[in-house]
Amino acid sequence: MDLVNHLSHTDERSLSASKEDFSSPSLKAKGRLQQATLDLLSGSDIQFRRETRLDIALVKNLPIALIFLPAADIPTFVGEGRVDLGITGRDQVAEHDAQLPEGEVSGVEEIMDLGFGGCKLQVQVPQKGDVTEAKQLIGKNVVTSFTALTRAFFSRLEGVEFGQKLSTKIKYVGGSVEAACALGVADGIVDLVESGETMKAAGLKAIDTVVESTAVLVKSRATKNSLVDLITSRISGVITAQKYVLCQYNIPRSELSVASQITPGKRAPTITALEEEGWVAVSSMVEKKKIATVMDELLKVGASDILVLNIANSRTG
């Protein structure tokens, strides 16, 4: 039986019952976060095979069903407790939360910044136009895929309560938002910017930022599934391993206090006495982006035999 079609015709009670047997994380189906997300799952030893055109996959070594969804849909499924965990952009979570009635607590809880998929949701206008500030768009046409965040942004600019009528006309477009100005549909747009190349190619420039975003791991506030903590721990270990390397070196004991300030580690460096009197071996986790500078500084204080090792995985405090 085609599993996707089966699920699409299953009633709400049956879907809820299936969650007693499977923890259900939801994942970005395709696009800018997909490959990094798949690498994260691989590093967490979450083994699965996704059949072509199927949006669900059962994990081989854990009682988990993976569901591949558009990024914008993930906060809704997580917030309503239909899935336990999700990986999506912080911008999508913010858009979901901005649509909630005033006073309602979001069902989506951010657990961890995953450190990839960085971008900004920005107000953009034609480069050759005379608009230089977002407030100049008040009362004009603005096109976006993020209508709730855009309404909140222009509500603040106009000085009205969110939900009240705006003079700015905000229109929804699901894709190719950057073409709206060139086609005469909009005076400005609110869209995601990563490198800025697409924006520049469309003849646009950014004049303000609505929200900064990165990929995040989120969970349902309603979940009580014990596997959530296990998966979170594994993902955290992979993220830590990606950020850090293990630096090992030998140093005269007399210089140990200075060297320890250079490589303090996550908690403290590991120190082992050497057979050669007056020398110790040090092992410490160092941020990968800082390792070249750290090695230079260690040489200056008398360290020798400096080695840098990649970390495949970790569990750190």
Side-chain angles (χ1 to χ4, degrees), residues 32 71-72 74-76 88-100 106 108-110 121 145-153 156 162 192 210-214 216 218:
R32 63 188 177 89
I74 291 175
T76 298
T88 187
R90 183 177 283 119
D91 53 297
Q92 300 293 352
V93 177
E95 174 70 9
H96 169 269
D97 291 353
Q99 299 176 57
L100 297 175
S106 174
V108 183
E109 179 181 349
E110 181 179 326
L121 184 65
S145 300
F146 295 82
T147 54
L149 286 174
T150 302
R151 286 185 186 281
F153 179 83
R156 290 191 294 270
F162 182 59
L192 290 176
V210 177
V211 67
E212 295 190 12
S213 180
T214 187
V216 291
V218 295

Side-chain angles (χ1 to χ4, degrees), residues 101-117:
E102 186 176 357
E104 182 175 329
V105 177
S106 174
V108 183
E109 179 181 349
E110 181 179 326
I111 305 175
M112 192 187 314
D113 186 329
L114 299 177
F116 60 83

Side-chain angles (χ1 to χ4, degrees), residues 43-261:
S44 303
D45 193 30
I46 296 175
Q47 303 171 16
F48 69 97
R49 178 181 176 184
R50 183 186 179 189
E51 299 293 342
T52 304
R53 291 182 294 184
L54 284 184
D55 289 334
I56 189 167
L58 299 182
V59 173
K60 300 175 183 178
N61 57 337
L62 286 170
I64 299 171
L66 299 180
I67 305 170
F68 296 83
L69 300 168
D73 294 345
I74 291 175
T76 298
F77 283 89
V78 172
E80 294 185 1
R82 301 304 179 185
V83 293
D84 301 290
L85 285 168
I87 294 176
T88 187
R90 183 177 283 119
D91 53 297
Q92 300 293 352
V93 177
E95 174 70 9
H96 169 269
D97 291 353
Q99 299 176 57
L100 297 175
E102 186 176 357
E104 182 175 329
V105 177
S106 174
V108 183
E109 179 181 349
E110 181 179 326
I111 305 175
M112 192 187 314
D113 186 329
L114 299 177
F116 60 83
C119 62
K120 296 178 181 179
L121 184 65
Q122 294 188 309
V123 182
Q124 303 168 39
V125 294
Q127 289 179 349
K128 297 181 180 180
D130 56 2
V131 177
T132 58
E133 296 180 289
K135 64 182 180 181
Q136 292 176 264
L137 291 174
I138 291 176
K140 297 184 178 181
N141 294 320
V142 176
V143 163
T144 183
S145 300
F146 295 82
T147 54
L149 286 174
T150 302
R151 286 185 186 281
F153 179 83
F154 278 96
S155 292
R156 290 191 294 270
L157 285 184
E158 294 190 26
V160 301
E161 294 291 329
F162 182 59
Q164 293 183 348
K165 185 176 177 60
L166 294 175
S167 61
T168 307
K169 302 171 186 64
I170 297 170
K171 302 176 182 179
Y172 174 82
V173 172
S176 301
V177 178
E178 68 278 357
C181 292
L183 295 175
V185 178
D187 301 292
I189 67 170
V190 175
D191 199 17
L192 290 176
V193 177
E194 293 180 68
S195 66
E197 293 302 317
T198 301
M199 176 181 66
K200 292 176 183 177
L204 301 171
K205 63 181 178 182
I207 57 173
D208 212 331
T209 298
V210 177
V211 67
E212 295 190 12
S213 180
T214 187
V216 291
L217 178 68
V218 295
K219 74 172 183 178
S220 169
R221 293 188 187 276
T223 185
K224 296 180 181 178
N225 197 310
S226 60
L227 284 173
V228 167
D229 291 335
L230 173 67
I231 297 170
T232 299
S233 177
R234 289 190 180 189
I235 290 177
S236 177
V238 175
I239 294 298
T240 299
Q242 291 173 347
K243 289 182 179 179
Y244 288 84
V245 291
L246 189 64
C247 182
Q248 298 179 333
Y249 57 92
N250 297 331
I251 189 86
R253 186 176 287 276
S254 60
E255 302 296 334
L256 178 58
S257 60
V258 177
S260 295
Q261 292 177 16

